Structure formats: C-alpha cells, structure tokens
Amino acid sequence: MNIEQIEELLASKQFQQLKYFQEKTNVFTIVGQTHTEHWHSSFMSWLFDPNSSLRLGHYPLVRLLSLYMIKSGDEELTLKSVFNMKLDNIHFETERTFFTTDGKKRSIDVYGESDELVIVIENKVKARENMNGTDVGQTKDYRDYVEGHKKLGQKVICLFVTPDPKQKPYDRNYTQITYQEMYDYVIAKCIEHPQLGNDGKYMLEQYSNNLREAVHGSPMALVNTALCKEIYDLHKELLDELFDDVEKSFNYTEDDKLSCVVYSRYQSIFDEIYLSLDEKHYGRTPKSNVKRKIISFTDLYNAGKIQNGTEFMMEYEGVFHYAVAEYDEKEKECYMLLLNEKKEPYYNLKGEKIGFYKASSQAGLDAVNIYRKNNNIDTKLTTLNGPSYWKTEEGITIKSLIDSL
C-alpha cells in the first residue's frame, strides 16, 4: 500500500459519492429523532397508510404483505387473495391502547385495520421484549387482544420488526422482519417507483439515510450496499490490506502506518464498506471486537471470560437474584438466562425457556420487577447498572470481566 493507491481510492467518484451520502444533512438527526421507537412507528404508519401524503396508494402495503408471505410461509394468504382485497380501505394508527383482562395497560406500536385485515406491528429499536416485569410477553397480549376483538372474516397478521435478526418475539405467531428487509423489500422499491413525488422521495431518502445510524454499535440497515460493493471490487487488494492492518493494530488511532492513518480519518466510510461485504462474512466493523460500545455475553464467552453454565448472582435491596450463561451452539451466541428464586429457568405456556438477554442490565431490571410484582410492590425499578451488580460465584462482577477485555 502506498500513497498513490490511497489517493486513487479517496479521489474515486464512488468513494466520494459514499462520503457525500454519509455527510448529507439528515433532517431526523437534526431534530434529534433518530432511533426512538415511537418515531419509527409513526413513520411506518404513514408509509403503509394507502391514503397518506406519500401518494403511492397501497403499493407499500402490498410490498409489506409480500414480504410477510415470503417470511411466514402462511398458506392462508396468497397473492391472489391480496390482489382481491380492498387495501385502500385499511387505516393505520400508532399506540393503539387497550387493557388486558387482568388490568394491564398495553399499547400496540402500529395497528392497521379494515373489514378484511388486521395488522399488528411490534416495533423494537433499542428495547427488547423479554420478561417485561411479567411472565407473559407483550406480543402475546397484543395478539390475544386482537384475536378476541376481530370481526368475522378479518385476517390477523402480526409482525415483529427489529434491527437485530437474532431478536425473537415472545409469541412465535409473529413474523420477524428486520429493518434491513424493510428497507430492501419496501422502502428501496418505493424510492424507485415512477409515481413517487419529489416530497415523498425526499422523505424516504432522508429516512433511509437515518437507518445508517448505529443502534447498539451496528446500523439499523445498510442502504448503500451496491455502492460499497462496487468500491470494494475496484480496490479489493488495497481494502483487504487496510482492514487487516486495522484489525491487527493494538491502537489504530495512534498507529503511524498509512492504512491506520487513513482508516482513522474516514472510519465511518470504511466501516460501511466493511459491513456491506456479505461474501466476506464481516457483519461488523474492523475494530468492533475491541471498540464495541456494548459488550455482550457472546463477547465475554468468545474471550474466555465466561463459559456455558457460568452462574451469576445479584443482591439488590437484600434480595438475591440468579442467572446463568447459556451458549446456543446453533446460533453461536451466548445469552444470560434469568432464573427464579429456586435457580430454575422461566418457561412459557409451550414449555419453552424464556428470559434470555444479551446484556445484564435489562436482566437485572426484570429480575427485580418480577420480584416486586410477586410481592405486591407497586414501584417499578427503571434503571440499573447491571454489570456492577451481577457477580460470578467467585465474586467477580460482570463490569470487571468487561473491563478486562
């Protein structure tokens, strides 16, 4: 690698175009509404409403239903039945509120209904559906409510939308759709639609640019994949060397090697290229194994800091709570499994273990709130520094394990 090769890459029209896309002003970032769940839900409600100002009619909704059929394998819904539906009659709203039979207040993120369809969308951007202070997940409450109130002839479709493909809903009757799939199958196709007006195109492009913003260290969706792959194909050897040097560098920000200097200057651009290379099986940024903002149980497991079966205990306000590390061989992921006071897992009505977490703070919150609910304590705990509370049998905190990486 030499300066001439680097200059050829940096001056290329493809690299400069990607740089422009990243630096282009994003209205959602300006107003501070990048990744709030309610905001994303409001956008979906607008996108799928056939009568919205987008002026594409039910085209976005047909794309969503097509994606649902691909993902769910639902044999009851076919393209023919979709084409025969009066999709222009469906109305969408956000925060559809109701009360469960035992008095719990619930709000469905996105709710769409017509005489033929009911669409429930549970949108998870940063938060995760775990125990939620109860032994029944939100998704099951939502579906129970809809199934109990639907009209004769209505088809119920439940969707679980998340940036993380490994995040699963409590209720397995939901079909998971990632934000990447939402972009590829719906938003990108709407942007290409010849009837899309300038205002609608601007809004969709701004939203797409916003999806690049990181959640838990990774973008919600990669929206410049074709351009990134073109850059890589044109400069393969150079980029491979650069990525390799950065990964091997102890501290790339202080490293005088040309590759590290260039990476430090244009890190966000190189990271997007790196993440877009499916054939390289990257799926992470070059230094994510060192510089990741949130350390997961999988990180600790891969680093040898914990093992499958490592037990954890947390004392909070004189009450002891328990958890154990459980490694999933199929997914190659390690989770924190919450245990009850008898050090046994929680199970749903199907006999499946529930209460899996990638990090410890939410696990601690749920453990405390389950205890409080079971002991008729109304006040819910809202924040907890889990890594500082959870300890191994040897008394080592998760924070110490994280700091040792």
Side-chain angles (χ1 to χ4, degrees):
M1 180 185 301
N2 55 47
I3 187 65
E4 289 82 5
Q5 292 173 311
I6 289 293
E7 280 302 308
E8 181 181 355
L9 168 64
L10 299 183
S12 68
K13 66 178 183 180
Q14 294 87 354
F15 190 90
Q16 288 300 315
Q17 186 175 10
L18 181 59
K19 182 173 181 289
Y20 168 73
F21 285 153
Q22 287 201 4
E23 295 175 349
K24 189 176 180 180
T25 303
N26 177 0
V27 66
F28 303 124
T29 303
I30 292 174
V31 298
Q33 295 294 321
T34 53
H35 289 324
T36 62
E37 286 184 359
H38 179 73
W39 181 85
H40 282 280
S41 297
S42 296
F43 185 88
M44 287 185 198
S45 183
W46 171 77
L47 175 65
F48 298 127
D49 194 321
N51 300 303
S52 76
S53 59
L54 188 60
R55 298 178 183 175
L56 289 183
H58 57 242
Y59 177 73
L61 180 57
V62 171
R63 296 297 307 167
L64 177 68
L65 294 175
S66 298
L67 177 56
Y68 163 76
M69 287 185 283
I70 292 170
K71 294 277 297 198
S72 69
D74 186 346
E75 297 180 355
E76 293 182 3
L77 191 69
T78 64
L79 273 178
K80 182 178 180 179
S81 62
V82 169
F83 292 157
N84 288 332
M85 288 180 178
K86 297 178 181 178
L87 294 178
D88 288 340
N89 293 339
I90 193 167
H91 171 72
F92 280 89
E93 61 182 287
T94 56
E95 300 296 325
R96 174 64 173 261
T97 301
F98 66 94
F99 289 89
T100 63
T101 54
D102 58 352
K104 290 181 294 186
K105 184 179 180 181
R106 294 298 202 196
S107 295
I108 299 174
D109 291 334
V110 182
Y111 180 86
E113 183 177 7
S114 68
D115 290 338
E116 300 166 301
L117 270 179
V118 176
I119 298 177
V120 173
I121 299 179
E122 171 65 359
N123 182 28
K124 288 297 180 185
V125 177
K126 292 182 178 179
R128 296 184 174 276
E129 186 202 19
N130 288 302
M131 305 297 286
N132 196 43
T134 178
D135 55 356
V136 176
Q138 292 167 293
T139 48
K140 187 176 186 306
D141 280 342
Y142 300 157
R143 192 172 64 85
D144 286 348
Y145 166 76
V146 171
E147 292 287 355
H149 290 79
K150 69 177 182 179
K151 303 172 186 175
L152 183 64
Q154 284 182 321
K155 167 71 175 176
V156 175
I157 293 176
C158 296
L159 304 176
F160 187 79
V161 182
T162 171
D164 184 358
K166 292 186 174 66
Q167 186 182 3
K168 306 298 181 184
Y170 175 91
D171 189 334
R172 298 300 182 179
N173 290 286
Y174 281 65
T175 297
Q176 183 210 55
I177 292 177
T178 65
Y179 269 88
Q180 185 68 59
E181 292 167 332
M182 184 73 74
Y183 172 78
D184 291 338
Y185 283 86
V186 183
I187 299 172
K189 300 303 180 184
C190 289
I191 292 175
E192 296 171 358
H193 199 288
Q195 294 181 1
L196 183 65
N198 291 332
D199 290 345
K201 185 175 183 180
Y202 174 79
M203 288 296 294
L204 292 181
E205 288 180 341
Q206 288 283 293
Y207 182 77
S208 299
N209 191 39
N210 183 67
L211 292 179
R212 287 188 54 263
E213 300 292 331
V215 172
H216 297 315
S218 297
M220 293 183 68
L222 296 167
V223 301
N224 298 310
T225 304
L227 179 58
C228 289
K229 289 184 176 180
E230 182 181 357
I231 295 172
Y232 179 76
D233 289 340
L234 291 170
H235 307 276
K236 180 180 183 302
E237 292 184 4
L238 174 66
L239 289 171
D240 280 344
E241 183 179 348
L242 182 146
F243 293 144
D244 188 57
D245 286 347
V246 171
E247 282 200 295
K248 291 178 179 177
S249 176
F250 177 74
N251 186 352
Y252 69 91
T253 59
E254 301 295 330
D255 199 320
D256 292 332
K257 187 174 289 187
L258 181 59
S259 54
C260 294
V261 172
V262 175
Y263 176 80
S264 297
R265 178 65 178 84
Y266 299 103
Q267 181 173 349
S268 65
I269 301 173
F270 286 120
D271 284 353
E272 185 165 359
I273 296 172
Y274 195 86
L275 284 163
S276 298
L277 303 176
D278 293 338
E279 69 275 11
K280 303 291 286 188
H281 302 294
Y282 287 139
R284 57 181 177 81
T285 59
K287 296 302 290 188
S288 61
N289 56 329
V290 176
K291 296 294 181 179
R292 188 173 296 159
K293 294 180 181 178
I294 294 180
I295 303 298
S296 70
F297 261 57
T298 301
D299 298 323
L300 294 174
Y301 178 88
N302 290 337
K305 300 298 180 180
I306 61 175
Q307 299 176 341
N308 185 36
T310 298
E311 296 182 359
F312 296 91
M313 181 185 68
M314 178 184 76
E315 182 181 3
Y316 189 83
E317 295 181 343
V319 179
F320 290 93
H321 306 278
Y322 307 97
V324 64
E326 183 160 311
Y327 186 72
D328 189 316
E329 289 286 352
K330 183 178 180 180
E331 293 188 358
K332 302 301 180 185
E333 294 277 354
C334 189
Y335 298 93
M336 187 178 199
L337 176 62
L338 197 62
L339 304 177
N340 61 25
E341 67 278 3
K342 297 180 181 179
K343 297 187 179 181
E344 298 172 344
Y346 291 91
Y347 292 90
N348 61 19
L349 297 178
K350 296 181 180 180
E352 303 166 327
K353 281 191 285 189
I354 57 175
F356 289 95
Y357 300 79
K358 284 192 173 182
S360 59
S361 291
Q362 188 62 50
L365 277 174
D366 284 355
V368 172
N369 287 328
I370 289 172
Y371 171 82
R372 290 185 174 184
K373 179 190 175 187
N374 291 339
N375 287 273
N376 299 315
I377 301 174
D378 293 332
T379 306
K380 290 186 68 174
L381 188 66
T382 57
T383 60
L384 179 74
N385 185 6
S388 296
Y389 276 95
W390 288 105
K391 298 179 180 180
T392 66
E393 288 182 303
E394 293 77 23
I396 302 172
T397 64
I398 292 179
K399 182 181 185 302
S400 297
L401 296 175
I402 292 173
D403 292 342
S404 67
L405 291 179

